Amino acid sequence: MPISLSQIAQQGAHGASMMPIIQGVGRAAIEISSLLQTAVFKGALGVAGSENIQGEQQQKLDVLSDEIFLEEMKSTGFVCAVGSEEQEELLVINEYASADWVVLVDPLDGSSNLDVDGPVGTIFSVVKRKTDNNERPHVSDTLQSGQQVLAAGYVLYGPATMLVCSVGAGVHGFTYNRASSRFELSHPDMKLPATGGYYSVNEANADKWLNNMGSNLENLKQETGLGMRYVGAMVADIHRTLLKGGVFLYPADSKNKSGKLRLLYEAIPMGFIMEQAGGKAMSDDGMAVLDIEPQALHQRVPVYLGSHSAVDCLLGIK
Ligand code: AHG
Ligand code: MN
Ligand code: MN
């Protein structure tokens, strides 16, 4: 009998309370995956004509994926609010405003890949609200460091749809089986290889990188001989890094002094997964990603995520 997502209830101290949310993520994933496969026939490809809070063009599929994810979080009955890349403000779920959990989400990651039928993903994490349950959830509920995260993970919409997640008891990968209409455990207890793999970065920005990153990357290449892969969708690049080893980075540069990736719904969830898989998740100034105290919902941070040796080499730590 294949092991289904409900097995999460057996994992660690928070598995049982996180299970309804992760099952909700699973339902959203199936809907988003099917939407992606049929988008071209429904006129759902292309720009929506709006911008998100980061000033980026929203794709129609960004907006639709966000709606699907929010509906599925609502349907769990356990989520009081969702902070999304696609929403300027925290979305309070009025029907369940006294519930315990707050979810952060990048509903569709790597959306520049949509036009070329490349892989995209969804990234999420869960924290417990800080406000009292009888108060209205507030954006301050989302401003919690990665040390407070109870569950996090991602969905990769590739040739197969995979849900990779952790409730703080290791990382487990589930693959959607269309025949059984279920996510089935396919990659138990994923561990990042300590050596080997690839470095993954948009090297076109190298001349603008700060903090000696250009020469540190040259050192990494010389010392390790790592090959290079870059999909341009964080979910796909992190998934490969988890399975094959190496490092994914999005450093600060002279144009984007805090890098590009968002702390709450990209860096922290992926940092949590990396550490749970035995890897390392760092930002600049010697800060571990999970130790950064967030100041704003849409804050950006530089990230270096991967094996200890590759991350240390990039950061000049010997
Ligand atoms: P999103 O599509 O959610 O805005 O995220 C895009 C991100 C991330 O997926 C990827 O790692 C990065 O942007 C790629 O950026 P560049 O095109 O600058 O390399
Ligand atoms: Mn993203
Ligand atoms: Mn996105």
Side-chain angles (χ1 to χ4, degrees):
M1 181 75 175
I3 297 173
S4 73
L5 273 183
S6 61
Q7 181 247 14
I8 285 159
Q10 316 299 322
Q11 295 172 13
H14 305 294
S17 50
M18 291 298 104
M19 190 187 69
I21 299 179
I22 291 177
Q23 287 186 319
V25 172
R27 290 193 299 277
I30 295 164
E31 289 169 61
I32 294 170
S33 158
S34 136
L35 174 67
L36 291 168
Q37 286 169 20
T38 54
V40 70
F41 309 119
K42 296 176 177 160
L45 285 179
V47 294
S50 47
E51 281 186 356
N52 65 15
I53 173 71
Q54 355 260 332
E56 296 162 346
Q57 280 263 348
Q58 283 179 308
Q59 304 280 318
K60 291 178 194 166
L61 288 169
D62 283 321
V63 176
L64 293 168
S65 304
D66 191 43
E67 285 170 10
I68 290 171
F69 193 88
L70 180 67
E71 267 317 301
E72 287 302 345
M73 290 303 101
K74 202 184 275 186
S75 80
T76 67
F78 292 104
V79 177
C80 64
V82 176
S84 165
E85 173 181 309
E86 302 304 334
Q87 302 284 342
E88 180 168 0
E89 315 238 331
L90 182 70
L91 276 165
V92 174
I93 299 179
N94 289 319
E95 296 91 320
Y96 301 105
S98 62
D100 278 337
W101 313 118
V102 175
V103 176
L104 289 142
V105 67
D106 175 355
L108 202 53
D109 172 69
S111 45
S112 71
N113 276 355
L114 289 169
D115 291 341
V116 298
D117 200 23
V120 290
T122 297
I123 311 173
F124 72 97
S125 64
V126 187
V127 289
K128 189 172 197 298
R129 67 190 293 169
K130 293 193 289 186
T131 48
D132 271 2
N133 293 64
N134 55 12
E135 285 174 40
R136 188 169 170 78
H138 184 260
V139 67
S140 60
D141 288 316
T142 67
L143 304 181
Q144 303 194 44
S145 83
Q147 302 297 348
Q148 311 304 320
V149 165
L150 299 173
Y154 60 82
V155 181
L156 173 60
Y157 309 100
T161 296
M162 284 194 69
L163 197 169
V164 174
C165 62
S166 174
V167 292
V171 179
H172 304 280
F174 297 80
T175 302
Y176 184 63
N177 183 345
R178 196 178 287 275
S180 65
S181 304
R182 283 171 187 270
F183 279 97
E184 295 176 4
L185 183 66
S186 52
H187 296 62
D189 203 14
M190 296 167 75
K191 291 286 178 226
L192 186 93
T195 56
Y198 302 93
Y199 73 94
S200 182
V201 65
N202 188 341
E203 226 165 340
N205 299 329
D207 59 340
K208 296 193 282 302
W209 288 338
L210 305 175
N211 307 322
N212 250 4
M213 196 46 59
S215 59
N216 289 1
L217 181 63
E218 287 312 313
N219 286 345
L220 176 76
K221 285 153 71 169
Q222 279 187 9
E223 284 181 21
T224 62
L226 290 182
M228 188 274 197
R229 295 282 187 279
Y230 191 66
V231 173
M234 186 189 201
V235 167
D237 285 317
I238 289 289
H239 187 66
R240 183 196 53 255
T241 305
L242 264 184
L243 290 172
K244 302 287 185 191
V247 60
F248 167 84
L249 59 153
Y250 208 112
D253 64 46
S254 52
K255 267 174 65 192
N256 304 298
K257 296 231 162 55
S258 302
K260 177 178 183 189
L261 299 177
R262 278 57 58 116
L263 175 60
L264 282 168
Y265 36 81
E266 291 175 324
I268 287 179
M270 292 309 204
F272 185 84
I273 290 290
M274 271 295 157
E275 288 202 1
Q276 285 289 322
K280 190 162 181 173
M282 295 298 290
S283 188
D284 279 347
D285 304 321
M287 282 296 280
V289 168
L290 300 190
D291 287 341
I292 299 172
E293 292 292 341
Q295 306 297 318
L297 184 54
H298 300 289
Q299 176 178 349
R300 298 174 194 259
V301 287
V303 293
Y304 311 89
L305 308 171
S307 66
H308 286 256
S309 58
V311 171
D312 287 350
C313 183
L314 276 178
L315 297 179
I317 305 168
K318 289 290 165 204

